[in-house]
Amino acid sequence: MSAMMKAAVFVEPGRIELTDKRIPDVGPNDALVRITTTTICGTDVHILKGEYPVTKGLTVGHEPVGVIEKLGSAVQGYAEGQRVIAGAICPTFTSYPSQDGVPSQDGSYLIPSGRCGCHGYKATAGWRFGNMIDGTQAEYVLVPDAQANLAPIPDGLTDEQVLMCPDIMSTGFKGAENANIRIGDTVVVFAQGPIGLCATAGARLMGATTIIAVDGNDHRLEIARKLGADVTLNFKTCDVVDEVMKLTGGRGVDASIEALGLQSTFESALRVLKPGGTLSSLGVYSSDLTIPLDAFAAGLGDHKINTALCPGGKERMRRLMNVVESGRIDLGLLVTHHYALDNIVDAYDLFANQRDGVLKVAIKPN
């Protein structure tokens, strides 16, 4: 193994560049994973634009598929050479937040450095790769607390089939889970990017019987139908709020899922919600949100608003890969483009500008 590796790092707003970094040392609870496939997420674009702050020089990316190169001395139950994934969220699972049921908000590992109080609660800190520590858009990534976070890939599944599990699938499904969907529900999903498409698929698996997908791109709406949408609405050609209220006889939907992170989509998701319904918010917001008084029924409508950072850990990854292996869902169709790691700057340009029908880009170091 050479002492250096290629890695895509955040330089400054507007610049992510490929550079050389040292291959990290492996501690007793870590695993060094050789990346075979990773991808670019919408959150990475927020980082690129400077809308989500990270340390300059940080390796970006948080969706790893790879092979165990080296195991820490305390990690049991895995073998070097084994194909694995790890969630974008890598909690310790021994912390107060993890045992309190919010492992995605686990910042306990930051306590020694003084970046988190002794309690260990820190919003978004469970998301380590490309946020708090070097990420996955590189030849190698160091997986912390590896025994809790590495999940073996079932035989027969390709990298592309499991590439969505570390983040996109987990996040989209969490949107459906947080929407409190019951069998027979009517659900609307605003935005059919990769996360929204996974939320649409998750709503179907949760038992919704009428799923309304909203987007401004007809190609994405076609894919939404393949993943479970019953009705598709293009916001460029209709008034979505009026159409949804007509479809529900004026009642409103049982649940709204917002998967973009804009004031307009959040507000529409609230306006079509029935009294007592749930708004599940997945978007990464870049500015303050305003809640319209009438849609919020002055705070008296029994509305529920849930936010989420996707769950991580090996059990979450195992369950997601079970769904893929069962054939209940095929998210490989979301991979529309392939790039070598050497060309990742070009891949960012394509993905950030949403050209050529791009949904997800598979990045391969070799």
Side-chain angles (χ1 to χ4, degrees):
M1 186 193 311
S2 105
M4 304 296 288
M5 67 176 183
K6 295 176 182 177
V9 302
F10 173 75
V11 178
E12 62 185 3
R15 286 179 62 199
I16 286 175
E17 294 183 354
L18 194 66
T19 189
D20 290 328
K21 275 193 170 185
R22 290 192 64 82
I23 295 174
D25 295 327
V26 180
N29 295 310
D30 304 329
L32 183 68
V33 171
R34 175 173 57 82
I35 297 294
T36 54
T37 309
T38 186
T39 187
I40 299 171
C41 179
T43 308
D44 298 325
V45 175
H46 284 287
I47 291 171
L48 171 65
K49 293 179 178 179
E51 296 170 345
Y52 185 93
V54 300
T55 304
K56 291 182 178 180
L58 186 77
T59 302
V60 288
H62 50 264
E63 295 158 282
V65 182
V67 175
I68 297 174
E69 186 79 15
K70 187 175 181 180
L71 284 170
S73 59
V75 182
Q76 301 178 5
Y78 300 88
E80 292 176 0
Q82 187 174 22
R83 293 178 68 225
V84 291
I85 64 172
I89 310 302
C90 288
T92 64
F93 289 105
T94 59
S95 66
Y96 286 108
S98 291
Q99 294 190 21
D100 192 27
V102 286
S104 298
Q105 317 303 331
D106 171 21
S108 62
Y109 61 94
L110 298 171
I111 292 173
S113 65
R115 290 185 290 166
C116 187
C118 63
H119 45 74
Y121 290 82
K122 186 173 179 62
T124 78
W127 165 30
R128 294 203 222 184
F129 295 137
N131 181 30
M132 298 292 186
I133 64 173
D134 278 339
T136 66
Q137 290 170 16
E139 293 182 286
Y140 295 91
V141 68
L142 190 71
V143 179
D145 297 294
Q147 193 161 332
N149 290 301
L150 287 179
I153 299 172
D155 292 340
L157 292 184
T158 67
D159 282 15
E160 283 77 6
Q161 284 178 294
V162 301
L163 182 58
M164 305 306 143
C165 296
D167 178 8
I168 299 302
M169 185 180 182
S170 187
T171 300
F173 279 23
K174 183 61 175 175
E177 291 160 342
N178 267 7
N180 299 319
I181 294 170
R182 296 180 296 178
I183 293 172
D185 272 355
T186 297
V187 177
V188 61
V189 183
F190 284 88
Q192 295 297 304
I195 287 178
L197 289 167
C198 289
T200 295
R204 174 66 69 190
L205 291 172
M206 293 288 290
T209 50
T210 303
I211 301 171
I212 305 165
V214 179
D215 201 273
N217 183 307
D218 286 333
H219 175 61
R220 292 187 176 196
L221 291 173
E222 289 175 13
I223 296 174
R225 282 193 176 274
K226 293 178 182 177
L227 291 176
D230 302 286
V231 179
T232 56
L233 298 176
N234 188 321
F235 66 79
K236 295 179 179 179
T237 60
C238 72
D239 184 316
V240 170
V241 173
D242 283 349
E243 288 299 317
V244 171
M245 296 309 289
K246 288 176 185 176
L247 287 166
T248 59
R251 175 177 179 270
V253 296
D254 299 288
S256 293
I257 302 174
E258 196 286 324
L260 185 58
L262 295 178
Q263 172 70 35
S264 57
T265 49
F266 180 88
E267 184 171 328
S268 293
L270 185 59
R271 289 192 178 281
V272 298
L273 193 63
K274 74 176 186 182
T278 301
L279 193 163
S280 177
S281 173
L282 294 175
V284 178
Y285 300 95
S286 301
S287 60
D288 290 343
L289 286 173
T290 300
I291 296 179
L293 184 66
D294 59 334
F296 197 47
L300 302 175
D302 281 326
H303 297 115
K304 305 165 195 70
I305 300 176
N306 288 331
T307 66
L309 180 60
C310 68
K314 63 185 179 184
E315 173 61 9
R316 176 70 169 186
M317 297 300 106
R318 183 192 69 82
R319 287 177 175 270
L320 296 179
M321 287 190 288
N322 274 357
V323 175
V324 174
E325 190 176 26
S326 73
R328 301 281 177 93
I329 185 173
D330 177 15
L331 295 178
L333 59 85
L334 300 187
V335 179
T336 55
H337 294 74
H338 292 76
Y339 277 78
L341 180 62
D342 285 344
N343 299 321
I344 194 166
V345 173
D346 293 335
Y348 264 97
D349 184 65
L350 171 79
F351 187 76
N353 291 290
Q354 290 294 292
R355 295 197 310 270
D356 194 22
V358 64
L359 285 173
K360 292 291 283 186
V361 180
I363 307 291
K364 294 182 180 289
N366 297 309

